[in-house]
Amino acid sequence: MSEEWTETPQHPIDSGFGHGSTAADVIEGIDLTGKSAIVTGGYSGLGLETVRALVSAGAEVTVPARRPEHARGVLQEAGLTDVGVEHLDLADQSSVKEFAARFLAGHDTLDILINNAAIMASPEERVGPGWEAQFATNHLGHYTLVNELWPALAASGSARVVSLSSTGHKLSPIRFEDINFSAGYEKWQAYGQAKTANALFAVELDRRGQSSGVRAFAVHPGGIMTELQRHLPKEEMVAAGWMDAEGNLREGFKSPEQGAATSVWAATSPALAGRGGVYCEDCDVARPTDKNSPLARYQGVDAHAVDRAEATKLWNLSAEMTGVNAFG
């Protein structure tokens, strides 16, 4: 890697925004005219609000979707009629490569890539050559997407890649000894591993991409009730304390507009110029987890999710599993 790489401290920078800020708040005054962006999962929940904010600032946005016709209908209903929609199934490596090839055929540069799409706590499923589906979809699909789109990202000169993680990363480090849960599946541990992978991906991509002007950030959007919870019965969410028996969300949950704010901030904020490779929450760089805090499960980033050696190890394993590596 370039010797010019510099590490950004995992410490807040006093952004002026916070838990209640919305995507519209953080993008106010920012001009993205002439900039291109891709938002995976950009047709539901916070992904839709992320797209709305980028479009409002003048960006040309493409939304890859497993169900393109459904995505087009949602975007048109939301008044986002100029957003491009293309087919992409993140669980299918061939589909990822085909989407990237189509995008590169029509674009010389890519300025913003927000890896927003995810599945959470899904029933056990195997995809590709027997990969565990949450890791394969949330991490490996986006890993290949970024590597295949690398020529356009590098050509931008100042591209940003945002990888959506979550406090789910606190549930599991990378299980290098059994990454596909061959010895027994546990849905929350699998989700935790995938979210740790999303965070570590940003660490390593930032290291590898910095010399080309590409900076990467991991983002915890906050607790938001969206289609991401589609695999969870209400009883489980009540037991977890997310809502009461009547379905009222606990205090602290964000609206989709608030949930999109940290992604949009990481993708566009001038305050992050010259920074990267950090985990962000509430529209700022997060603090390392205070293990003595009663909020340790919900705030801060655990050491295993920003560990540089683990990040490099995961990148190398991902390259081996997919056969894809733009830096190889």
Side-chain angles (χ1 to χ4, degrees):
M1 296 305 102
S2 169
E3 293 182 1
E4 297 176 3
W5 177 74
T6 55
E7 184 177 6
T8 300
Q10 185 67 54
H11 191 275
I13 60 171
D14 299 322
S15 69
F17 299 107
H19 182 279
S21 298
T22 65
D25 293 334
V26 301
I27 207 163
E28 184 176 357
I30 292 176
D31 183 6
L32 298 179
T33 303
K35 302 291 186 181
S36 60
I38 293 174
V39 182
T40 67
Y43 56 95
S44 68
L46 62 97
L48 179 63
E49 296 307 322
T50 300
V51 170
R52 192 190 308 278
L54 296 176
V55 169
S56 75
E60 177 212 329
V61 181
T62 300
V63 171
R66 194 166 51 86
R67 297 179 294 158
E69 289 307 316
H70 171 71
R72 287 191 188 96
V74 172
L75 289 162
Q76 288 174 2
E77 189 174 327
L80 298 168
T81 54
D82 293 334
V83 173
V85 177
E86 290 279 349
H87 178 260
L88 169 66
D89 182 351
L90 285 165
D92 180 345
Q93 289 276 306
S94 295
S95 174
V96 176
K97 293 174 183 177
E98 289 164 5
F99 165 78
R102 291 195 304 273
F103 185 86
L104 292 176
H107 298 80
D108 294 327
T109 61
L110 175 59
D111 303 291
I112 295 170
L113 173 54
I114 300 182
N115 295 326
N116 170 82
I119 56 175
M120 180 176 76
S122 53
E124 183 173 7
E125 182 183 357
R126 304 284 155 178
V127 300
W131 296 336
E132 188 280 311
Q134 293 192 74
F135 183 79
T137 303
N138 299 354
H139 170 62
L140 290 177
H142 284 124
Y143 167 87
T144 295
L145 180 64
V146 170
N147 278 273
E148 292 290 315
L149 290 172
W150 180 252
L153 288 164
S156 166
S158 59
R160 291 191 190 177
V161 178
V162 177
S163 181
L164 266 77
S165 181
S166 82
T167 58
H169 81 268
K170 297 169 182 286
L171 299 174
S172 178
I174 303 298
R175 295 158 37 101
F176 287 106
E177 73 288 352
D178 184 17
I179 209 155
N180 286 309
F181 287 81
S182 302
Y185 180 73
E186 201 290 307
K187 66 181 183 180
W188 283 111
Q189 193 173 16
Y191 179 67
Q193 172 179 251
K195 294 292 98 178
T196 290
N198 293 147
L200 290 174
F201 176 72
V203 172
E204 185 67 8
L205 177 62
D206 191 73
R207 185 176 79 89
R208 291 172 181 257
Q210 188 178 136
S211 62
S212 298
V214 179
R215 305 310 301 258
F217 303 87
V219 161
H220 166 46
I224 309 120
M225 197 56 62
T226 68
E227 289 185 17
L228 188 63
Q229 284 87 359
R230 62 187 174 275
H231 294 298
L232 300 180
K234 179 182 176 184
E235 294 77 17
E236 186 170 353
M237 291 188 280
V238 171
W242 295 359
M243 61 175 64
D244 63 23
E246 284 71 49
N248 301 304
L249 296 180
R250 69 166 171 79
E251 186 179 352
F253 264 70
K254 295 184 178 184
S255 67
E257 294 85 354
Q258 292 169 327
T262 306
S263 297
V264 173
W265 178 77
T268 64
S269 174
L272 290 172
R275 305 177 195 263
V278 288
Y279 176 101
C280 304
E281 62 185 5
D282 290 339
C283 304
D284 208 332
V285 178
R287 299 180 188 277
T289 301
D290 176 1
K291 295 187 179 298
N292 295 318
S293 168
L295 297 176
R297 172 62 185 86
Y298 302 104
Q299 291 182 354
V301 58
D302 286 11
H304 68 251
V306 288
D307 183 282
R308 284 186 285 158
E310 291 281 283
T312 299
K313 186 177 180 180
L314 175 64
W315 185 284
N316 292 337
L317 177 63
S318 303
E320 181 182 330
M321 292 175 75
T322 63
V324 175
N325 188 0
F327 302 87

